[in-house]
């Protein structure tokens, strides 16, 4: 029997490098219902950057900005705009995670490093993945502090009500032409993931554009990474638009789970989050396609939530517009009602919706 050489407990945190972390923090608090829990910066003895830690359910976002033009964070922001730098994974042994992956060919980002303070110690290590994105392994079993050594607890003076976001469901990477299989192999060989699903350009194409996608998952299924690459179409694929504006491969969207998408999306809309739009015709034959669902279809329609079914159940999902001015990173809100898939039945409607936005930006 194969043993999992890289056991993962889940996503530990997602770190964005941003132009102005202080203001980004308020975006996620006011629109997405995240609470500020920790901070690291000049006031905590860190001289070169500021980082805000936001939490909702088990989801932890870290927003970081460098304090000088030559800081590596700001180099990253100059090239990519605000974007995901670190997809951190929670492990029991960060040294072993590093050895197992680097010995299988991963490029080192951070050698095993022990950080400590009065709350104990954390071991961190890291490897490179697609583009300039990295995976950091976080071992925190001997730590009881709010986040990591170097961070202090911080509450915002603004009162925040959560919207019901629970945990990270999956994080999607966009890679360049012909690079999807290289990265799928990386996750298989270097990280011990297995291929869960494949979508070719026939599954994911509209009149104008196409993409291909493969989904890899770790052993226990807690960590899933779909990888997209552009495919030939009459016009520019949304993946190409992303790569053009991100100036390379990177994280395209983060899917976050909720148990009550009607409540979550209703709250997010009230707070000003902009979502992709699918036309009313989408709902005309939807129940014939997906069968019985528990939710009131009129409520789903009013919120423009999409529905899909697989052999194991159904799912409800919706996608935000990009959350920065470059048409790059966006979020998916997903409620799984047994379904383990990714909404294949919605791809066409969704991509047509993305193309309407691309057209408005002059990028189709
Ligand atoms: Fe997704």
């Amino acid at each position: 029997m194969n043993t999992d050489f890289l056991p993962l407990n889940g996503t530990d945190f997602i770190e964005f490098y941003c132009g102005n972390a202080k203001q980004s923090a308020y975006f996620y608090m006011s629109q997405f219902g995240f609470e500020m829990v920790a901070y690291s910066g000049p006031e905590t003895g860190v001289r070169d950057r500021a980082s805000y830690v936001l939490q909702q359910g088990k989801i932890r976002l870290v927003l970081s900005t460098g304090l000088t033009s030559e800081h590596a964070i700001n180099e990253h922001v100059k090239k990519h705009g605000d974007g995901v730098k670190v997809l951190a994974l929670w492990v029991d042994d960060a040294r072993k995670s590093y050895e197992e992956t680097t010995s299988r060919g991963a490029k080192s980002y951070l050698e095993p490093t022990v950080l400590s303070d009065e709350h104990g110690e954390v071991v961190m290590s890291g490897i490179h993945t697609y583009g300039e994105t990295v995976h950091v392994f976080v071992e925190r079993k001997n730590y009881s502090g709010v986040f990591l050594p170097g961070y202090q607890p911080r509450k915002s003076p603004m009162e925040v009500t959560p919207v019901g976001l629970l945990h990270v469901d999956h994080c999607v990477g966009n890679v360049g032409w012909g690079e999807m299989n290289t990265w799928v192999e990386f996750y298989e060989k270097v990280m011990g993931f297995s291929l869960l699903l494949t979508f070719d350009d026939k599954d994911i194409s509209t009149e104008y554009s196409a993409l291909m996608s493969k989904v890899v998952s770790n052993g226990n299924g807690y960590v899933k990474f779909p990888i997209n690459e552009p495919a030939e179409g009459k016009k520019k694929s949304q993946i190409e638009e992303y790569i053009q504006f991100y100036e390379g491969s990177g994280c395209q969207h983060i899917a976050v789970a909720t148990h009550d998408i009607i409540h979550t999306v209703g709250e997010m809309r009230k707070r000003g989050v902009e979502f992709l739009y699918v036309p009313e015709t989408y709902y005309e034959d939807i129940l014939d396609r997906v069968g019985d669902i528990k939710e009131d279809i009129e409520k789903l329609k009013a919120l423009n939530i999409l529905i899909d079914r697989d052999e194991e159940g159904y799912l409800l999902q919706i996608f935000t517009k990009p959350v920065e001015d470059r048409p790059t990173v966006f979020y998916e809100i997903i409620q799984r009602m047994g379904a383990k898939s990714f909404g294949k039945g919605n791809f066409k409607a969704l991509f047509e919706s993305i193309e309407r936005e691309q057209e408005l930006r002059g990028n189709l």
Side-chain angles (χ1 to χ4, degrees), residues 239-250:
I239 310 305
E240 271 183 281
E241 188 199 33
Y242 174 100
I243 286 168
Q244 181 190 341
F245 282 89
Y246 197 73
E247 296 193 15
S249 304

Side-chain angles (χ1 to χ4, degrees), residues 170 172 226 253 255 317 319 332 342:
H170 59 274
V172 181
H253 76 265
Q317 65 185 168
F319 295 80
E332 171 181 353
F342 295 82

Side-chain angles (χ1 to χ4, degrees), residues 110-182:
L110 173 70
E111 285 184 19
T113 305
V114 180
L115 305 171
S116 58
D117 66 10
E118 68 271 30
H119 303 290
E121 66 171 48
V122 171
V123 188
M124 289 171 81
S125 63
I127 58 170
H128 288 268
T129 176
Y130 49 77
E132 289 201 90
T133 317
V134 299
H135 289 307
V136 165
F137 302 114
V138 185
E139 172 190 331
R140 49 172 73 256
K141 59 179 186 280
N142 298 313
Y143 193 68
S144 62
V146 62
F147 177 54
L148 293 174
Y151 285 79
Q152 287 179 5
R154 173 176 297 199
K155 291 248 175 286
S156 137
M158 185 176 85
E159 207 177 305
V160 173
T161 318
V163 299
L165 301 179
L166 300 171
H167 59 84
V168 174
D169 186 276
H170 59 274
C171 293
V172 181
N174 279 345
V175 299
W177 290 96
E179 292 175 13
M180 176 179 70
N181 285 327
T182 308

Side-chain angles (χ1 to χ4, degrees), residues 51-269:
S51 296
Y52 298 78
V53 184
L54 307 181
Q55 191 156 1
Q56 185 168 183
K58 291 180 184 166
I59 311 161
R60 215 160 18 202
L61 301 182
V62 181
L63 307 168
S64 296
T65 292
L67 300 181
T68 56
S69 62
E70 63 272 19
H71 197 286
I73 292 176
N74 290 340
E75 297 288 341
H76 195 275
V77 171
K78 182 183 177 202
K79 186 165 177 63
H80 304 293
D82 288 8
V84 173
K85 175 65 181 179
V86 183
L87 291 167
L89 303 167
W90 176 26
V91 298
D92 288 332
D93 189 338
R95 290 182 185 88
K96 181 172 180 287
S97 303
Y98 182 83
E99 280 153 24
E100 296 282 5
T101 50
T102 53
S103 69
R104 287 175 169 80
K107 189 175 145 205
S108 172
Y109 169 68
L110 173 70
E111 285 184 19
T113 305
V114 180
L115 305 171
S116 58
D117 66 10
E118 68 271 30
H119 303 290
E121 66 171 48
V122 171
V123 188
M124 289 171 81
S125 63
I127 58 170
H128 288 268
T129 176
Y130 49 77
E132 289 201 90
T133 317
V134 299
H135 289 307
V136 165
F137 302 114
V138 185
E139 172 190 331
R140 49 172 73 256
K141 59 179 186 280
N142 298 313
Y143 193 68
S144 62
V146 62
F147 177 54
L148 293 174
Y151 285 79
Q152 287 179 5
R154 173 176 297 199
K155 291 248 175 286
S156 137
M158 185 176 85
E159 207 177 305
V160 173
T161 318
V163 299
L165 301 179
L166 300 171
H167 59 84
V168 174
D169 186 276
H170 59 274
C171 293
V172 181
N174 279 345
V175 299
W177 290 96
E179 292 175 13
M180 176 179 70
N181 285 327
T182 308
W183 289 105
V184 167
E185 273 168 36
F186 166 87
Y187 282 107
E188 287 175 333
K189 285 188 185 147
V190 172
M191 296 183 65
F193 282 41
S194 42
L195 182 65
L196 203 61
L197 284 166
T198 299
F199 304 104
D200 64 20
D201 48 352
K202 282 162 215 71
D203 295 317
I204 320 183
S205 68
T206 64
E207 193 189 343
Y208 296 124
S209 69
L211 65 89
M212 293 191 283
S213 188
K214 285 185 177 176
V215 184
V216 290
S217 167
N218 81 314
N220 61 17
Y222 290 176
V223 178
K224 292 186 283 289
F225 294 137
I227 306 289
N228 299 330
E229 73 172 31
E232 278 308 337
K234 277 191 213 159
K235 293 193 178 181
K236 188 188 282 178
S237 164
Q238 52 167 300
I239 310 305
E240 271 183 281
E241 188 199 33
Y242 174 100
I243 286 168
Q244 181 190 341
F245 282 89
Y246 197 73
E247 296 193 15
S249 304
C251 176
Q252 179 211 37
H253 76 265
I254 299 164
V256 287
T258 171
H259 284 329
D260 184 355
I261 199 166
I262 290 174
H263 168 73
T264 299
V265 172
E267 278 298 315
M268 291 174 82
R269 284 196 182 278

